[in-house]
Amino acid sequence: MIDVPGTQESAAAQQIEQLEAELATELNRYNSDEQAAILKRIVSRLKRERYVRSPIVIVKEMIRTPLVWLLMAMGITIPLLFYILIVWVSLAVER
């Protein structure tokens, strides 16, 4: 793909290159053993976050779905309807 100046792709590519250069300069401040430990930690964190999402994110996604709101509404209305039905039946039986 050809990078055309002024496009989003070239801006994103430039940002990535800047971040890579910044990472390389920061890693150069440490010796090779520390660099290996830092890179291992970064890679393990990336892998873990790819497969394991935080519970907060999962709950946020669940709240956005209409099914959850429908189930919550049903959970509220069904006990109320049973209560009204029991009261209505008991009043009808007393007559």
Side-chain angles (χ1 to χ4, degrees):
M1 187 172 284
I2 300 172
D3 284 338
V4 179
T7 62
Q8 286 182 341
E9 293 175 2
S10 65
Q14 288 175 355
Q15 280 184 326
I16 291 171
E17 288 174 7
Q18 288 174 350
L19 290 172
E20 287 174 347
E22 185 179 344
L23 177 63
T25 55
E26 287 296 320
L27 282 175
N28 285 333
R29 294 176 46 202
Y30 300 97
N31 64 28
S32 61
D33 294 335
E34 291 172 333
Q35 286 179 1
I38 292 169
L39 289 173
K40 283 180 185 177
R41 198 172 337 134
I42 291 172
V43 169
S44 68
R45 230 174 121 191
L46 287 173
K47 286 180 181 178
R48 184 177 60 238
E49 289 180 8
R50 181 180 301 161
Y51 297 111
V52 178
R53 294 181 301 179
S54 71
I56 295 170
V57 172
I58 294 170
V59 170
K60 282 182 181 178
E61 288 177 359
M62 285 175 50
I63 290 174
R64 290 182 185 153
T65 61
L67 179 63
V68 171
W69 291 105
L70 179 66
L71 292 175
M72 286 174 49
M74 286 176 54
I76 293 170
T77 56
I78 289 175
L80 289 173
L81 290 175
F82 277 124
Y83 177 74
I84 292 169
L85 182 66
I86 289 171
V87 170
W88 181 73
V89 168
S90 67
L91 288 174
V93 169
E94 286 182 6
R95 286 189 193 187

